[in-house]
Amino acid sequence: IIHRRGKTPRRPCPKKTSNIEKDPVGVYCRIRPLGAEFEECCVEMISSSTIQLHAPDGLKANRNGEYKETQYSFKKVFGIKTTQMELFEDIAKPLIEDLIHCKNGLLFTYGVTGSGKTFTMTGSPGEGGLLPRCLDMLFNSIGPFQAKRFVIKTDDKNGVEIQNQVDALLERQKRDSQQSVPKTPSSRQKTDPEFADMISPEEACKSENVDEDCCYSVFVSYIEIYNNYIYDLLEDAPFDPIRPKPPQSKILREDQNHNMYVAGCTEVEVKSTEEAFEVFWKGQKKRRIANTQLNRESSRSHSVFIMKLAQAPLDADGDHILQDKNQVNVSQLCLVDLAGSERTSRTRAEGSRLREAGNINQSLMTLRTCIEVLRENQMCGTNKMVPYRDSKVTHLFKNYFDGEGKVRMIVCVNPKADDYEETMLVMRFAEMTQEVEVARPVDRPICGLAAGRRHRNQERGGPSTAGNDLLEFVILLIDSFPALPPCELVDPADDQTLPRLIEVLERRHCIRQKMTEQLNRTSNTLKSMLQQFDSQLTAKENYLHDQRGKLGEKDKIISNQKMEIERLEKKSKMLEYKIDILQKTTNIYEEDKRSLQHELETQEQRLQRELSERRRMEQRMQGMVTDTRLKWEKECERRVNAKQLEMQNKLWVKDEKLKQLKAIVTESSSGCPTERPEKPERPSRERDRTAPQKRSASPSALPVSYLLNPYPTSSSSSSTSSSTYPSVANCISEWEQRFPVDTRQGSHPATPQYGIHPRHRRSQSAGGEKWVDHKPSSNLDLDTVMQPIIPNAIKVSTPSEKALSKCHKYVLRHQELASDGEIETKLIKGDVFKTRGGGQAVQFTDIETLKQECPTAPSRKRRSGSGGGAAQMDDIENRVSCLVKDDSLYMMSFICLKLPNKQT
């Protein structure tokens, strides 16, 4: 049995009540004007609630190319021309009204360093920010209903206490005597001129829904969160010049209502806007700021200005404050100026500045994480723990995100292109913050007393005094009349009581008449005065009417001038808009011009390269054409010379044959030998003798003497008929010996070369150049003595690129059947050269033909005559026929003719 440890059951999620109303976090966006006119702008305001981000030109081509135009929506977007008053009316004014109605609020500014957060919160002379305007509206609303100083005081546990007038006076004297506690500034002091210029009287705001049955007291405190430590900016620590002590950090605690507060933080009671701003300015001078590359006065800490409003109800009579601290409601509004996020690569921070930037970014990242977890819990129904304690900023304001008041955020944006990437991160955080919902705070009832207690108390005090005065006046008036005598009649004969009564009444009547006359005189005087006043009033009204007419005319002139000014302003705006459009168009055209100019330069460079390449090709082709022309000219000259020599040889051979035939015929007809005629000289030209002969590309022919007699023997072994009748071979041999030919002279293929020893005779194909001897496997071997032999040749049955790459010449042996039935062999020669693609190609230049003939075969030509003469003529014809063959074959014919004589 395996015992497993039981797991702790998961705590069930608290059931969410559906009747709680929630509001999303109000996120607003404010766009700061550009610092310079010609800076590149990456933010565009599309509508009153939407902005669009444009990627700057330097980032359009980076990493994934996903920098596209993105739009972000907010509750409201404030452009560059938005005034501080408009911003206050839409954002901070509802928070002050909620503060007066016992509801908490949180307002903080968020953005990149240098985006205008401190200006939005504090402002400048002439343009007061949200903080001084909130103080001004608060004191304008509760000014007549404030409690005496120190009647309501704060304790050290985020609560308040109630004191009577005497205790409050003693407390004030005690505080004034203590040096460690900062003195409350007096409201009789002169107004700070710097603050007086911030808010004009025309821009003063006031809340009309103020509960007059309460007394109010305002307490302010000012702290900063620096390097994740909390410091009190209003604390007056004694200064020791010898051993100065650094300010001590404060800790966060939780009160009995589970609200977070800064323990030991100084809270100053203020009675006017000037006093409150003076306290703020005192703490602002202690706030840590520094000069960086991006901002001359960069906030290095998060500042939190807390306005706490205590509302104590009056008693049933409306005279004094209830002495029950449980009936006092306390609400607070936190104005937070967050330090700007920054990149150290841009600010070039070092040392302490680098550590400050790291802590600032870490706290902002914690705020982002808390918002993400809250959003996930609300949208997905999860119950993840929100990491408020990771940072002092989020830990201090956790109650607001849990539903203790309204939360509003102002996203400040600097539209310059350098802040594009940081601005995108800020936009994503703001967009995510809008999806977080915060529980709507409920109204807190003050007490169960009837409303209007202060007003009734004032009414009781006013009419009672007036009644007493009227009664005293009537009593004095009655006392001025004479006293009435006794009017009781006891005796019917009494005649004194009535006369006395009549006398007193007559005196009273006289006094009344006098008073009536005096009253009439006074009334007449009053009437005359009233008439005079009426006439004066009429004159004044006429004067006012005239002045109003003049004022109306002036108003008309002013309205016309205003209309003209508005028209000019609209025209100026339109012209500015057109100028912007023209400027953008000019920039686009300049960019296109630069790109086209760059492209034109590139095309010109490419054209120059192509022209130079073309010139090189033309020069190269001209060289090749010149070389080819010279080559063909030489080849044509060689061929012409060879053809002339060939024709001369043929002509000489025919002449020689005719002479031999003539000699034979003459010898046979006479029957006796005659003297051998002198061998005629071979015709030649002077230039053939003197000019050097070129070497032919084809193998040279063997000497005729070797062809006719390859096996030399003695003269006795020759036939007897050859001594009697000189043979053609002897004649040619003698002629060749008389006219030797230089072996270096180039000749046509199959042209006989003379003067070469038979042992040293080789084919010209066997020179220093290597040959590819292509002999197909279908060729037949001929059993003749003379065979074309090419030494130092690669013999192949099928040509291959490997064999061709090693040689310079190529010969193909081709066999076919001739018209007489004999096998004819052709040697097809060519030059091997390399191609541009790296292969090999063959250019055919010459063809040699080898043919085998049988001397014993019957001749096709027959002549009429006797039998012996016919046989002799046949033998002569067979011999001579060898000479009239193709010049490339006559050598082989001589071998075929000589072999039968050798065998005999």
Side-chain angles (χ1 to χ4, degrees):
I1 300 173
I2 299 176
H3 297 279
R4 295 184 178 178
R5 185 178 180 183
K7 295 183 179 179
T8 304
R10 185 178 180 182
R11 189 184 343 182
C13 299
K15 294 183 179 180
K16 298 181 180 179
T17 56
S18 60
N19 55 356
I20 296 179
E21 296 182 358
K22 292 185 177 182
D23 295 323
V25 176
V27 181
Y28 301 83
C29 179
R30 186 180 191 183
I31 303 174
R32 171 185 173 168
L34 287 171
E37 296 181 0
F38 301 103
E39 281 187 343
E40 184 180 1
C41 180
C42 66
V43 178
E44 180 184 358
M45 180 177 174
I46 297 179
S47 64
S48 60
S49 61
T50 307
I51 65 172
Q52 184 170 351
L53 262 67
H54 305 275
D57 295 337
L59 291 177
K60 285 183 179 178
N62 72 338
R63 53 175 184 263
N64 298 329
E66 296 179 355
Y67 284 103
K68 300 179 181 179
E69 296 178 352
T70 53
Q71 294 183 1
Y72 299 93
S73 298
F74 300 92
K75 193 169 183 179
K76 191 169 183 180
V77 177
F78 299 94
I80 59 176
K81 296 184 180 180
T82 303
T83 61
Q84 300 278 55
M85 186 63 190
E86 296 174 357
L87 195 71
F88 170 78
E89 288 283 344
D90 290 332
I91 300 177
K93 187 176 180 179
L95 296 179
I96 295 296
E97 293 180 351
D98 289 343
L99 180 68
I100 296 174
H101 291 86
C102 306
K103 296 178 183 179
N104 297 332
L106 171 64
L107 174 62
F108 62 95
T109 56
Y110 183 84
V112 186
T113 180
S115 58
K117 300 182 296 301
T118 304
F119 174 77
T120 300
M121 188 61 68
T122 306
S124 61
E127 295 180 352
L130 299 180
L131 189 146
R133 293 181 186 275
C134 289
L135 291 173
D136 186 63
M137 178 179 176
L138 178 61
F139 284 105
N140 290 338
S141 302
I142 66 170
F145 313 114
Q146 291 190 72
K148 299 281 185 173
R149 199 182 299 274
F150 297 114
V151 172
I152 302 175
K153 69 172 187 176
T154 59
D155 56 8
D156 295 334
K157 299 178 181 179
N158 202 28
V160 294
E161 295 178 352
I162 305 298
Q163 297 185 131
N164 53 28
Q165 298 288 340
V166 178
D167 293 337
L169 182 60
L170 293 175
E171 180 73 18
R172 182 175 182 180
Q173 293 176 356
K174 180 180 177 181
R175 295 238 178 156
D176 291 340
S177 63
Q178 292 178 357
Q179 298 296 329
S180 59
V181 180
K183 295 181 180 180
T184 303
S186 174
S187 59
R188 297 179 182 179
Q189 291 182 356
K190 251 178 145 179
T191 305
D192 187 3
E194 186 174 0
F195 177 76
D197 294 337
M198 279 196 171
I199 304 174
S200 61
E202 294 82 7
E203 296 179 352
C205 296
K206 181 180 178 181
S207 177
E208 303 295 337
N209 300 323
V210 180
D211 190 1
E212 298 180 358
D213 295 330
C214 294
C215 287
Y216 300 89
S217 293
V218 179
F219 303 90
V220 295
S221 57
Y222 196 20
I223 62 173
E224 72 169 353
I225 302 175
Y226 176 73
N227 288 340
N228 209 24
Y229 290 100
I230 301 176
Y231 297 98
D232 186 6
L233 296 177
L234 302 180
E235 183 178 12
D236 284 338
F239 178 71
D240 189 357
I242 300 175
R243 299 181 63 183
K245 295 181 180 180
Q248 297 295 321
S249 62
K250 305 297 180 180
I251 60 174
L252 292 176
R253 287 185 179 175
E254 191 174 9
D255 61 5
Q256 60 182 358
N257 296 324
H258 305 289
N259 295 324
M260 303 305 300
Y261 70 98
V262 181
C265 179
T266 304
E267 294 181 342
V268 182
E269 183 179 4
V270 290
K271 293 298 180 183
S272 66
T273 308
E274 292 77 9
E275 293 180 25
F277 195 78
E278 184 178 352
V279 172
F280 165 76
W281 201 249
K282 176 184 176 183
Q284 186 71 6
K285 293 178 181 179
K286 295 182 180 180
R287 188 182 176 188
R288 291 173 174 85
I289 59 174
N291 184 11
T292 63
Q293 292 286 336
L294 301 180
N295 193 357
R296 187 179 63 181
E297 296 181 358
S298 176
S299 303
R300 311 311 295 169
S301 62
H302 309 296
S303 67
V304 182
F305 187 80
I306 303 174
M307 293 187 295
K308 186 179 292 185
L309 179 64
Q311 304 183 28
L314 297 175
D315 55 9
D317 296 331
D319 293 332
H320 304 288
I321 298 174
L322 284 175
Q323 299 295 314
D324 185 5
K325 66 177 182 179
N326 296 324
Q327 295 294 333
V328 179
N329 285 328
V330 180
S331 56
Q332 65 181 11
L333 173 63
C334 295
L335 302 178
V336 185
D337 181 14
L338 296 176
S341 60
E342 59 186 30
R343 291 189 176 183
T344 56
S345 60
R346 296 183 58 201
T347 58
R348 300 177 184 175
E350 297 178 355
S352 60
R353 297 290 173 266
L354 182 61
R355 185 172 65 256
E356 292 169 359
N359 289 316
I360 290 170
N361 294 335
Q362 182 63 35
S363 60
L364 295 177
M365 184 60 66
T366 305
L367 176 63
R368 182 187 182 95
T369 305
C370 294
I371 295 295
E372 288 179 353
V373 175
L374 281 172
R375 173 176 170 270
E376 184 178 355
N377 289 342
Q378 292 177 4
M379 297 184 68
C380 303
T382 58
N383 193 22
K384 292 184 179 180
M385 185 184 70
V386 183
Y388 291 119
R389 294 179 179 270
D390 291 349
S391 174
K392 291 293 193 299
V393 176
T394 55
H395 194 194
L396 178 61
F397 302 122
K398 66 179 291 292
N399 309 109
Y400 292 95
F401 292 103
D402 290 341
E404 289 295 329
K406 286 185 179 181
V407 180
R408 292 194 174 184
M409 179 175 71
I410 302 176
V411 178
C412 299
V413 178
N414 193 344
K416 65 179 182 179
D418 295 338
D419 293 345
Y420 174 74
E421 295 184 354
E422 291 89 342
T423 303
M424 282 193 65
L425 298 177
V426 171
M427 293 294 106
R428 291 172 185 172
F429 171 70
E431 199 173 40
M432 178 183 59
T433 305
Q434 292 183 107
E435 299 178 359
V436 176
E437 294 182 348
V438 179
R440 184 181 300 175
V442 295
D443 295 331
R444 303 175 185 174
I446 297 178
C447 61
L449 300 177
R453 299 184 297 277
R454 187 189 294 268
H455 184 66
R456 286 195 300 270
N457 185 17
Q458 292 178 355
E459 287 181 353
R460 285 195 303 269
S464 61
T465 304
N468 293 332
D469 294 339
L470 181 60
L471 182 61
E472 291 177 358
F473 177 75
V474 172
I475 291 173
L476 290 174
L477 183 62
I478 291 174
D479 291 340
S480 63
F481 287 105
L484 292 175
C487 299
E488 184 177 0
L489 293 176
V490 180
D491 189 7
D494 189 4
D495 54 355
Q496 296 180 357
T497 303
L498 290 177
R500 285 197 298 270
L501 180 60
I502 293 169
E503 183 181 1
V504 170
L505 291 175
E506 286 178 354
R507 278 187 292 173
R508 286 195 172 189
H509 182 66
C510 291
I511 294 171
R512 183 177 178 183
Q513 286 181 349
K514 291 180 181 179
M515 291 179 66
T516 302
E517 291 176 358
Q518 186 178 0
L519 181 62
N520 290 331
R521 288 195 299 270
T522 306
S523 63
N524 292 331
T525 305
L526 183 61
K527 285 181 181 178
S528 61
M529 291 176 63
L530 289 176
Q531 290 176 358
Q532 186 179 359
F533 287 153
D534 287 339
S535 60
Q536 292 180 357
L537 182 62
T538 304
K540 294 290 184 182
E541 286 179 353
N542 294 332
Y543 178 75
L544 288 174
H545 182 70
D546 296 338
Q547 295 296 325
R548 284 172 183 171
K550 294 180 180 179
L551 184 61
E553 294 177 357
K554 296 293 184 182
D555 289 338
K556 290 180 180 179
I557 296 173
I558 291 173
S559 62
N560 293 332
Q561 291 179 352
K562 284 183 178 180
M563 291 175 62
E564 183 68 18
I565 290 172
E566 290 178 356
R567 186 183 66 80
L568 293 176
E569 286 179 352
K570 290 180 180 179
K571 186 176 181 180
S572 175
K573 290 180 181 179
M574 182 63 66
L575 292 176
E576 289 177 357
Y577 179 70
K578 290 182 179 180
I579 289 172
D580 293 339
I581 293 176
L582 292 175
Q583 187 67 30
K584 292 180 180 178
T585 308
T586 305
N587 294 335
I588 293 172
Y589 286 159
E590 288 180 354
E591 187 68 24
D592 293 342
K593 178 183 176 182
R594 286 194 294 269
S595 62
L596 291 173
Q597 188 172 2
H598 178 69
E599 185 178 355
L600 180 60
E601 292 176 357
T602 305
Q603 293 291 343
E604 287 180 353
Q605 293 177 1
R606 187 182 301 172
L607 182 61
Q608 292 294 334
R609 289 197 300 269
E610 291 179 354
L611 288 175
S612 61
E613 185 68 23
R614 183 177 178 181
R615 293 193 192 98
R616 287 197 297 270
M617 290 295 294
E618 287 179 355
Q619 294 175 1
R620 184 177 176 184
M621 294 304 293
Q622 288 177 0
M624 293 177 64
V625 167
T626 304
D627 294 342
T628 307
R629 185 174 64 251
L630 293 175
K631 179 179 177 182
W632 282 108
E633 286 178 358
K634 292 178 182 179
E635 182 68 20
C636 291
E637 185 179 358
R638 184 187 65 79
R639 291 188 180 183
V640 168
N641 295 335
K643 196 66 176 177
Q644 289 178 356
L645 184 59
E646 178 186 352
M647 298 303 294
Q648 290 176 4
N649 289 336
K650 287 184 178 181
L651 183 60
W652 180 82
V653 170
K654 290 182 180 180
D655 291 342
E656 187 66 25
K657 285 198 302 182
L658 291 176
K659 289 178 181 180
Q660 290 181 7
L661 288 175
K662 185 177 181 180
I664 292 171
V665 171
T666 305
E667 183 181 359
S668 61
S669 62
S670 62
C672 60
T674 60
E675 186 178 358
R676 183 176 181 181
E678 185 179 358
K679 182 178 181 180
E681 293 184 2
R682 183 178 181 181
S684 62
R685 293 176 296 177
E686 186 67 26
R687 63 189 180 94
D688 293 335
R689 295 174 184 174
T690 59
Q693 301 295 326
K694 297 181 181 180
R695 185 176 179 180
S696 174
S698 60
S700 302
L702 294 175
V704 179
S705 61
Y706 178 74
L707 295 174
L708 297 177
N709 192 8
Y711 305 100
T713 57
S714 60
S715 58
S716 59
S717 62
S718 61
S719 176
T720 56
S721 63
S722 62
S723 62
T724 306
Y725 303 100
S727 64
V728 178
N730 291 332
C731 294
I732 295 175
S733 178
E734 291 175 359
W735 184 83
E736 286 181 352
Q737 290 175 2
R738 289 182 61 186
F739 303 98
V741 182
D742 189 3
T743 57
R744 292 174 298 175
Q745 181 179 359
S747 61
H748 188 272
T751 303
Q753 303 291 328
Y754 305 101
I756 300 177
H757 196 275
R759 294 183 180 179
H760 300 285
R761 178 69 184 101
R762 300 193 324 180
S763 172
Q764 288 187 1
S765 301
E769 299 171 340
K770 295 187 69 175
W771 287 73
V772 176
D773 189 2
H774 180 197
K775 182 179 180 182
S777 57
S778 60
N779 285 9
L780 299 176
D781 293 333
L782 303 178
D783 296 332
T784 58
V785 176
M786 184 178 179
Q787 292 290 339
I789 299 174
I790 305 175
N792 197 17
I794 300 176
K795 296 183 179 182
V796 295
S797 60
T798 302
S800 62
E801 186 178 356
K802 182 176 180 183
L804 290 173
S805 62
K806 297 179 181 179
C807 301
H808 303 85
K809 299 290 183 177
Y810 173 83
V811 59
L812 171 63
R813 302 191 185 194
H814 175 66
Q815 290 183 349
E816 62 182 6
L817 196 62
S819 59
D820 56 356
E822 297 295 338
I823 295 177
E824 185 179 68
T825 303
K826 291 185 179 180
L827 301 180
I828 306 173
K829 301 178 182 181
D831 296 332
V832 179
F833 61 91
K834 294 183 179 180
T835 60
R836 289 187 178 181
Q840 307 293 330
V842 178
Q843 181 180 5
F844 294 98
T845 60
D846 196 5
I847 299 177
E848 289 187 10
T849 305
L850 304 179
K851 186 175 179 182
Q852 180 181 4
E853 292 183 1
C854 182
T856 59
S859 177
R860 297 182 182 179
K861 295 183 181 180
R862 296 188 181 273
R863 296 178 61 182
S864 60
S866 58
Q872 186 179 5
M873 291 304 292
D874 290 340
D875 183 48
I876 294 170
E877 188 176 353
N878 288 333
R879 294 183 200 175
V880 178
S881 63
C882 295
L883 298 175
V884 297
K885 295 292 183 181
D886 190 291
D887 56 344
S888 63
L889 300 177
Y890 75 97
M891 300 176 188
M892 187 63 72
S893 301
F894 278 124
I895 296 175
C896 295
L897 288 173
K898 190 64 178 177
L899 284 178
N901 296 332
K902 178 64 178 176
Q903 292 174 359
T904 57

